[in-house]
Amino acid sequence: MNHRVKNWLTAYAVAAVIFAVLDAVWILGVANPLYRSTIGGLLAEKTNFVAAVLFYVIFVAGMVHFGVRPNSTDLTLRQRIAGAALFGFFTYATWALTGLAVLRDFPALVAVTDILWGAAACSIVTWLTAGILRRRLASRVP
């Protein structure tokens, strides 16, 4: 396996673990109570775990590609975090604003909260991942 692929997969694994923990805390502590109290009637009785896993697999790949960028050794931490924040903002805004546009009684509070969470979560995950992989992110491909 070449160095670039190994860098990317390592960054993916680290980001995936961090995001899973961070998002679990978010879902249990903030999102679940907020969703139940504001859009409870829209929620499914059971979570579709296949869809949830697919979301995490795809979303973490996006965070690594647009935020961590493990093979871009010339980027500053600020540039990585800015890319991640924008990725989180745009992706969560897509979901939240679509919900606001097409779902009856979808609250603006949920939309705004989710958009802010997307930007913050991606920024935090990228910051922590980049910190853990600091040496790897700064090294040139041999």
Side-chain angles (χ1 to χ4, degrees), residues 86-111:
L86 289 170
F87 173 73
F89 174 84
F90 290 128
T91 54
Y92 274 69
T94 300
W95 135 252
L97 295 176
T98 299
L100 195 59
V102 302
L103 297 175
R104 182 183 19 234
D105 299 326
F106 192 85
L109 175 64
V110 170

Side-chain angles (χ1 to χ4, degrees), residues 31-110:
N32 213 11
L34 177 63
Y35 284 5
R36 295 229 177 270
S37 69
T38 58
I39 58 171
L42 297 175
L43 298 178
E45 288 183 30
K46 290 185 176 183
T47 301
N48 180 334
F49 285 104
V50 171
V53 168
L54 284 172
F55 164 77
Y56 283 101
V57 167
I58 293 166
F59 193 74
V60 171
M63 273 194 290
V64 172
H65 181 79
F66 293 105
V68 179
R69 295 182 271 185
N71 293 309
S72 298
T73 57
D74 57 332
L75 294 176
T76 66
L77 180 59
R78 179 175 286 170
Q79 290 170 315
R80 294 173 199 278
I81 292 172
L86 289 170
F87 173 73
F89 174 84
F90 290 128
T91 54
Y92 274 69
T94 300
W95 135 252
L97 295 176
T98 299
L100 195 59
V102 302
L103 297 175
R104 182 183 19 234
D105 299 326
F106 192 85
L109 175 64
V110 170

Side-chain angles (χ1 to χ4, degrees), residues 15 90 114 139:
F90 290 128
D114 277 359
S139 66

